[in-house]
Amino acid sequence: MGGDNAPSMVIDGMAIALESVSNLNFHIYGDGHKLSTLLASYPKVMEVTEIHHTEDVVSNDEKPGIALRSGRQSSMRLAINAVGDGIAGGVVSAGNTGALMAMAKFVMKTLPGIDRPAIASYYPTMTGESVMLDLGANIQCDAENLVQFAVMGEVFARYVLHIEQPSIGILNVGTEVLKGNDSVKQAAAILRETHLPIKFHGFVEGDDIGKGTVDVVVTDGFTGNVALKTIEGTAKLFAGALKEELKGSMLGKIGALIAKPAIDAFRNRFDPRRYNGAMFLGLNGICVKSHGGTDSFGFANAILAAHEMVSDGLNDGIKEDFARFNDEHHNFSNIQVDD
Amino acid sequence: MGGDNAPSMVIDGMAIALESVSNLNFHIYGDGHKLSTLLASYPKVMEVTEIHHTEDVVSNDEKPGIALRSGRQSSMRLAINAVGDGIAGGVVSAGNTGALMAMAKFVMKTLPGIDRPAIASYYPTMTGESVMLDLGANIQCDAENLVQFAVMGEVFARYVLHIEQPSIGILNVGTEVLKGNDSVKQAAAILRETHLPIKFHGFVEGDDIGKGTVDVVVTDGFTGNVALKTIEGTAKLFAGALKEELKGSMLGKIGALIAKPAIDAFRNRFDPRRYNGAMFLGLNGICVKSHGGTDSFGFANAILAAHEMVSDGLNDGIKEDFARFNDEHHNFSNIQVDD
């Protein structure tokens, strides 16, 4: 029931996703009448979908704590419960992010060795695709949190982006060892020393995000959230200005018309719907948050991301790495960074 | 002597700046022989320039503390001294940022009421131009620092960007009052209550930077540095991809050729050289850091920015506002933010 055009956008998105992966099946939670009416247009989807009626929904401005306490019968909570109960492999929602994280954490719990789940997204770069985390779940992070994000991000890049040996960078204000705050310095010191087979690149800067300098960009949720939204804002600014200049003159209009296939290819490369879906990593279950303003194509991608994480066994990979990491980790607990 | 193509880029830049503002005059510090040879090509510039020979330079990888102690005869230090001694109205350098800040702070001191100077830059948005600070001088900032940045940024927007009543926003992970860390919450509480005639908008998010939602974006140096470089990286990613797609097909090439004036206008709008120059605000003197990789056109803009801040009396404006702010500020020292 979450998202600007829910639930029709959700149902349409399920249909698109089912075209890509034919063995999907769905449990959907919300207004049963609305949902079954919408599903009637998609007989194939209906065949693989079970509707669970509930009248309660979590609104977009509801505080996470309130949603957690009073939303026990909400569509969001029941969908999360389905993962907790083993009925579903993963949950996808376009609703309230904070409430989704709070409920998912409460129901699914975190994986062993992980203190705090993180929100991750992947995005296009000059060289391919990279993943960045945390994007807003944790406003303040210590070194341990960042190290855990690094390990989770590395597994995500390996399992979902299919990068054989993903490189990891910590976002900072410079690349020199002594730059930045204590959390990033200490986290880098731990990652430099670890015997896990991970490729730690060191510090990266804001412009390295778009360059694709590393496959995994690790940062605290404050910086990551600002960086991600700054990318979105810059993209909109550029696209808007380009359109304005092209439409502002006859030659611009003619040129744009002739170059339309190239301009379309450019636009398609950065189509935010292709990258829709923020992954909640570190939970004992798969949970993907779709952008609330996306359309059915974008929502389908969020479903497919969840499906990929389930079928690739992402969480088994994370558990495995953390077991190894924690075995050796007592060696690092005393690492100090010179100032 | 600082910058990738110094000193020739600097001398060429002086010539360009002098074409815009004919009553400029220069003191330049560095290798006297090189400088006078270069100046020989510009008789008009030579007339208004005094060369001060020194052999010592601050290298780009020198630590600020070392530069401060051992670079007393460096070209950078002597140029800063010229402002401290009242010989020059402002200093412009394309050299080592950290050393420039450390030396400028030591020589010029901060303005009354300002604990820490900030680095500010202005940039193009959907609606015009905005200024953002701090961009890296202060990795960790408390509420007081952010409030001081807000007041300085507001004066800058008024005096240099000529915005009559600039709006101020604090960069955060959401716009709701209770979002973010303690520093931003407390700073917002102070700015909401102040009787200074400033227009406090509230919190803004990363995508508001490009939108131009506010005229002044206030943030700590860690987040600001990442955001600024993220904009740069995203711009490069987009420009590169657009070029690639247009050059990748015959229709793309033809269309781009026809639309060239429009595409050039688009490129010109975001030409980083037009926005070259990071302003060190809060010092008792004007100091502008040029990008080291800029060309003479970009360096000329940094000179013109310094000239504008001097001739507009920016620092008098900042002093005036701080005198008023500090008068009423004891009222705010006990403001608490509910959690």
Side-chain angles (χ1 to χ4, degrees):
Chain A
M1 303 301 288
D4 298 349
N5 294 306
S8 71
M9 170 276 277
V10 171
I11 305 286
D12 297 346
M14 286 159 56
I16 297 172
L18 192 62
E19 277 167 32
S20 290
V21 179
S22 59
N23 65 343
L24 283 177
N25 61 78
F26 302 105
H27 293 266
I28 53 177
Y29 298 80
D31 181 323
H33 178 68
K34 270 193 199 165
L35 295 175
S36 58
T37 310
L38 288 163
L39 264 178
S41 318
Y42 299 107
K44 273 191 191 166
V45 182
M46 211 191 310
E47 266 176 44
V48 297
T49 300
E50 203 172 303
I51 298 175
H52 305 261
H53 174 77
T54 180
E55 273 157 33
D56 189 16
V57 293
V58 174
S59 71
N60 247 338
D61 49 8
E62 191 131 69
K63 298 238 172 312
I66 308 283
L68 189 60
R69 282 192 297 276
S70 66
R72 289 195 188 88
Q73 291 304 313
S74 64
S75 55
M76 186 184 277
R77 175 63 181 271
L78 296 178
I80 294 170
N81 287 348
V83 178
D85 297 343
I87 294 167
V91 55
V92 182
S93 167
N96 181 326
T97 309
L100 186 66
M101 178 55 98
M103 286 179 174
K105 221 165 132 178
F106 178 78
V107 172
M108 300 180 189
K109 315 292 183 222
T110 54
L111 288 171
I114 293 171
D115 297 322
R116 300 205 220 155
I119 301 178
S121 255
Y122 59 99
Y123 55 89
T125 69
M126 279 189 197
T127 55
E129 286 173 347
S130 295
V131 57
M132 180 156 73
L133 72 170
D134 173 31
L135 301 177
N138 309 283
I139 294 311
Q140 266 146 335
C141 294
D142 61 21
E144 292 278 328
N145 298 138
L146 295 176
V147 168
Q148 290 172 13
F149 299 167
V151 176
M152 294 195 289
E154 199 266 352
V155 178
F156 182 87
R158 215 155 12 98
Y159 278 64
V160 181
L161 302 183
H162 306 294
I163 299 167
E164 216 168 294
Q165 217 200 336
S167 57
I168 299 171
I170 296 179
L171 194 57
N172 198 356
V173 296
T175 55
E176 302 85 353
V177 172
L178 292 178
K179 287 267 180 177
N181 55 41
D182 291 342
S183 298
V184 299
K185 283 191 275 190
Q186 178 85 22
I190 295 172
L191 288 172
R192 267 191 297 270
E193 297 297 322
T194 179
H195 294 99
L196 273 189
I198 60 172
K199 213 163 103 188
F200 180 58
H201 171 93
F203 292 135
V204 293
E205 300 185 66
D207 53 336
D208 291 305
I209 301 172
K211 270 187 205 159
T213 306
V214 291
D215 302 308
V216 182
V217 175
V218 172
T219 186
D220 64 90
F222 192 97
T223 313
N225 185 284
V226 168
L228 182 79
K229 287 178 183 160
T230 299
I231 293 173
E232 288 172 11
T234 309
K236 273 186 199 157
L237 171 66
F238 273 66
L242 181 63
K243 208 169 168 180
E244 213 174 281
E245 295 295 350
L246 289 173
K247 289 202 164 174
S249 69
M250 193 47 76
L251 283 180
K253 279 184 203 165
I254 296 171
L257 202 66
I258 294 172
K260 192 171 183 301
I263 292 173
D264 285 349
F266 165 72
R267 191 175 296 151
N268 184 45
R269 221 158 126 171
F270 299 106
D271 186 344
R273 299 176 307 166
R274 290 181 58 202
Y275 297 93
N276 181 43
M279 329 296 166
F280 290 2
L281 299 185
L283 294 169
N284 192 16
I286 297 299
C287 181
V288 175
K289 166 65 173 67
S290 161
H291 202 289
T294 196
D295 64 9
S296 52
F297 178 74
F299 197 82
N301 279 327
I303 295 174
L304 294 172
H307 168 260
E308 197 151 352
M309 291 195 283
V310 173
S311 62
D312 290 349
L314 176 79
N315 276 350
D316 291 333
I318 293 178
K319 274 191 260 185
E320 210 175 279
D321 266 29
F322 267 93
R324 280 202 274 176
F325 184 74
N326 288 330
D327 274 352
E328 65 158 48
H329 188 50
H330 60 276
N331 301 322
F332 303 126
S333 47
N334 288 318
I335 286 182
Q336 290 298 328
V337 182
D338 297 328
D339 225 336
Chain B
M1 305 300 288
D4 298 349
N5 294 305
S8 71
M9 169 277 277
V10 172
I11 305 286
D12 297 345
M14 286 159 57
I16 297 172
L18 192 61
E19 277 167 34
S20 289
V21 180
S22 59
N23 66 342
L24 283 177
N25 61 79
F26 302 104
H27 292 265
I28 54 176
Y29 298 80
D31 182 323
H33 178 68
K34 269 193 199 166
L35 296 175
S36 57
T37 310
L38 288 163
L39 265 179
S41 318
Y42 299 107
K44 273 191 190 165
V45 182
M46 211 190 312
E47 266 175 44
V48 297
T49 300
E50 203 172 303
I51 298 175
H52 304 261
H53 174 75
T54 180
E55 273 157 32
D56 189 16
V57 294
V58 174
S59 71
N60 247 338
D61 49 8
E62 191 130 70
K63 298 238 172 311
I66 308 281
L68 190 60
R69 282 193 297 276
S70 66
R72 290 194 188 88
Q73 291 305 314
S74 64
S75 56
M76 185 184 278
R77 175 63 181 271
L78 295 178
I80 293 170
N81 286 349
V83 179
D85 298 342
I87 295 167
V91 55
V92 183
S93 167
N96 180 327
T97 310
L100 187 67
M101 178 55 98
M103 285 179 174
K105 220 165 133 179
F106 178 79
V107 172
M108 301 179 189
K109 314 292 183 222
T110 54
L111 288 170
I114 293 171
D115 297 321
R116 300 206 222 155
I119 300 177
S121 256
Y122 59 99
Y123 55 89
T125 69
M126 279 190 197
T127 54
E129 287 173 347
S130 295
V131 57
M132 179 157 72
L133 72 170
D134 174 31
L135 301 177
N138 309 284
I139 295 310
Q140 266 146 334
C141 294
D142 61 20
E144 294 277 329
N145 299 137
L146 295 176
V147 169
Q148 292 172 11
F149 299 167
V151 176
M152 294 195 290
E154 198 266 353
V155 178
F156 181 87
R158 215 154 14 97
Y159 278 64
V160 181
L161 302 184
H162 305 295
I163 299 166
E164 216 169 294
Q165 218 201 337
S167 56
I168 299 171
I170 295 179
L171 195 56
N172 198 355
V173 296
T175 54
E176 301 86 353
V177 172
L178 292 178
K179 287 267 181 179
N181 55 42
D182 290 342
S183 298
V184 299
K185 282 190 276 190
Q186 179 85 24
I190 296 173
L191 288 172
R192 268 191 297 270
E193 296 298 322
T194 179
H195 294 98
L196 273 188
I198 60 172
K199 212 163 105 189
F200 180 58
H201 172 93
F203 292 135
V204 293
E205 301 186 65
D207 53 335
D208 290 306
I209 300 173
K211 270 187 206 160
T213 307
V214 292
D215 302 307
V216 182
V217 175
V218 172
T219 185
D220 65 90
F222 192 96
T223 313
N225 185 283
V226 167
L228 182 78
K229 287 179 182 159
T230 299
I231 293 173
E232 286 172 13
T234 309
K236 273 186 198 156
L237 171 66
F238 274 65
L242 181 62
K243 208 170 170 181
E244 212 175 282
E245 295 295 351
L246 288 173
K247 288 201 165 175
S249 70
M250 192 47 75
L251 283 181
K253 279 184 202 163
I254 296 171
L257 203 66
I258 295 172
K260 193 172 182 301
I263 292 173
D264 285 348
F266 165 71
R267 190 176 296 151
N268 183 45
R269 222 158 125 171
F270 299 105
D271 186 345
R273 300 177 306 166
R274 290 180 59 201
Y275 297 93
N276 181 43
M279 330 296 167
F280 291 2
L281 299 185
L283 293 169
N284 191 15
I286 297 299
C287 181
V288 175
K289 166 64 173 67
S290 161
H291 202 289
T294 195
D295 63 8
S296 52
F297 178 74
F299 197 83
N301 279 328
I303 294 174
L304 294 172
H307 167 258
E308 198 150 350
M309 291 195 283
V310 173
S311 62
D312 290 349
L314 176 78
N315 276 350
D316 291 334
I318 293 178
K319 273 192 262 186
E320 209 175 280
D321 265 28
F322 268 94
R324 280 202 276 175
F325 183 74
N326 288 330
D327 273 353
E328 65 158 47
H329 188 50
H330 61 274
N331 300 323
F332 303 126
S333 47
N334 288 318
I335 285 182
Q336 289 298 326
V337 182
D338 296 328
D339 226 334

